[in-house]
Amino acid sequence: MLINRVLKRSDILSCSLCHDAPCSSACPVMDPARILRSVWFDNQDIAALRLPADNPCLNCDAPCEKACIHTGKVPVKDVMIRLQSEVRPRSEIDIPEDEDRLACDICGRRLENPFLLSSSVVASTYDMCARAFEAGWAGACFKTICSFDIHEASPRFSAITGDSGSIVGFKNIEQLSDHSVAENMEIFRRLKDRYPGKFILASIMGQDEAEWEELARLCEENGADGIELNFSCPNMQEDGLGSDIGQIPELVERYTAAAKRGTTLPVLAKLTPNVANMSPAAEAALRGGADGLAAINTIKSIIGVNPLTFVSAPAVKGRSAIGGYSGNAVKPIALRFIAELGQNEALKGLHISGMGGIETWRDALEFILMGAGSIQITTAVMQYGYRIIDDLKDGLNYYLAQMGIRSVRDIIGAGLDSVSDSTDVLERDSILFPGFDHDKCSGCGRCVISCMDGGHQAIRFEDRVPRLDGSKCVGCHLCMLVCPEGAIFPAAKRIAGRR
Ligand SMILES: Cc1cc2nc3c(=O)[nH]c(=O)nc-3n(C[C@H](O)[C@H](O)[C@H](O)COP(=O)(O)O)c2cc1C
């Protein structure tokens, strides 16, 4: 079920993925909310395999749907029955018994799985990290620590949402931890004491070499397992900090070397995507002694310009500021930077901690295939909570088992050979024509519209049936991408110019 998914998010769009979900309280036999979440987070095989084999939903009058906060609007029973009847019979393996495949490391220090909270509000207090660890996260990159005062604005977030109302892209103008260094060091001590097996990555930002060195030293003394250097926050009030550093390789090298003087722990340089290429900063970090890289931090952005006030969001008393963009919308940009780092021969051997828009195990897998050895997440946690770790771990573990891959380590960077930063390498002599599944086709004609106005006028509409003219089709696949029914597929390949 890796390619063709039976159920999609769109099948449960009206589900709010509730906290303390009434559907689960109402169901006497299972936890429908957990199963719906698995469908949402691209884990339908596991959702299906978790259902009781005797299909209790078939003869049930669906108290789950009656208890739902959107009474009757979420097709819980139908989804459970489809999982049983359509997904379960096609699932290739049982749910694997252990999660050993997920174990990996950051610079030789063990991670029970690749998933860490990334440095942000989601990892900013003892209680938050403790709850995340209990939920199954392998570690946390703690909210960036600094020794200067932080005063945040309100509001500080804004978002672009998709049709379901869920956040696709997220803008923040937040800076660093507003706890004192001493308070944060106490948090590290308590976390390490209570959770010795979890990885504490301490994110730091200094104002000069002495501060970078001192913060790195303090973090090691107080229980951190690694240090991440924040060369990439785009929201700093003062000039010369955060992404201002990340854009100047000489500063990256100098401050990395300073931090290395203060610690024996692995040091990761967190780089800014607000550059054309990341390699100059990454190579500078290596020269400074970095053991690894982390990317991406947020992308400078403007969103939501208000048509009445002309002020972009978030508006703070009539003013706004360029701020960092994150969330699922930035994933392609993040992947491109990860691949650039992964392909750079000069950086071979450096650990890459990948982030930027990861919500599901499949997103995480894409980062791993592009060279990430660990995964960090913020925006999806802000939106959905620490509980997403269940489907991240379950899904990745199931995928590895299904593919017969012994360890996640074995596929780090496995997709890099397919990526080229030039289109020169591509074969240009053949055309991959679309095929039409007329049983699935609803006759909407969206493929016709797109091919007429955005393509090559190669689809005719005859009695509401799309017909391809192979002499005009260039195989661009726009029709496939716009089809709401998933009724168009890659079909026959032909050498261009030949019939
Ligand atoms: C509200 C918010 C606060 C953040 N604070 C920090 C920070 O203090 N230090 C840091 O290195 N990155 C910070 N980030 C960036 C994230 O760690 C991460 O690099 C970025 O959001 C991309 O990942 P995501 O799409 O999973 O959120 C912050 C991001 C957000 C959304």
Side-chain angles (χ1 to χ4, degrees), residues 118-120 143-144 172 230 270 296-297 326-327 355 357 378-379:
S118 76
S119 177
S120 74
K143 176 81 186 162
T144 303
N172 86 88
N230 184 339
K270 184 168 178 185
I296 61 171
N297 207 315
S326 61
M355 74 202 89
T378 279
T379 306

Side-chain angles (χ1 to χ4, degrees), residues 336 343 417-428:
R336 174 243 152 172
Q343 286 182 323
D417 285 349
S418 71
V419 181
S420 165
D421 68 357
S422 152
T423 54
D424 274 8
V425 296
L426 303 177
E427 185 262 343
R428 289 167 191 276

Side-chain angles (χ1 to χ4, degrees), residues 145-262:
I145 297 166
C146 64
S147 48
F148 43 94
D149 283 345
I150 292 292
H151 300 289
E152 300 291 4
S154 164
R156 67 186 75 156
F157 305 143
S158 184
I160 291 177
T161 50
D163 291 343
S164 67
S166 53
I167 292 170
V168 177
F170 188 78
K171 178 187 164 187
N172 86 88
I173 50 171
E174 183 173 295
Q175 301 181 85
L176 313 183
S177 171
D178 55 6
H179 301 144
S180 70
V181 174
E183 284 166 343
N184 284 325
M185 292 307 116
E186 201 215 328
I187 293 175
F188 285 0
R189 287 196 300 277
R190 287 173 63 205
L191 282 174
K192 198 73 235 172
D193 192 41
R194 177 86 180 78
Y195 300 100
K198 301 288 183 177
F199 197 103
I200 300 174
L201 188 55
S203 172
I204 59 171
M205 185 190 291
Q207 296 170 102
D208 54 34
E209 289 182 52
E211 270 189 27
W212 285 101
E213 181 175 340
E214 176 65 359
L215 285 171
R217 187 181 63 74
L218 284 171
C219 292
E220 176 163 6
E221 282 173 8
N222 287 282
D225 298 289
I227 311 288
E228 191 176 90
L229 310 177
N230 184 339
F231 296 143
S232 42
C233 176
N235 302 332
M236 300 308 297
Q237 239 176 307
E238 303 287 329
D239 287 344
L241 298 170
S243 60
D244 287 356
I245 298 174
Q247 291 169 351
I248 304 175
E250 297 73 34
L251 291 180
V252 169
E253 179 176 348
R254 189 168 349 135
Y255 293 144
T256 304
K260 283 292 286 186
R261 286 196 292 276

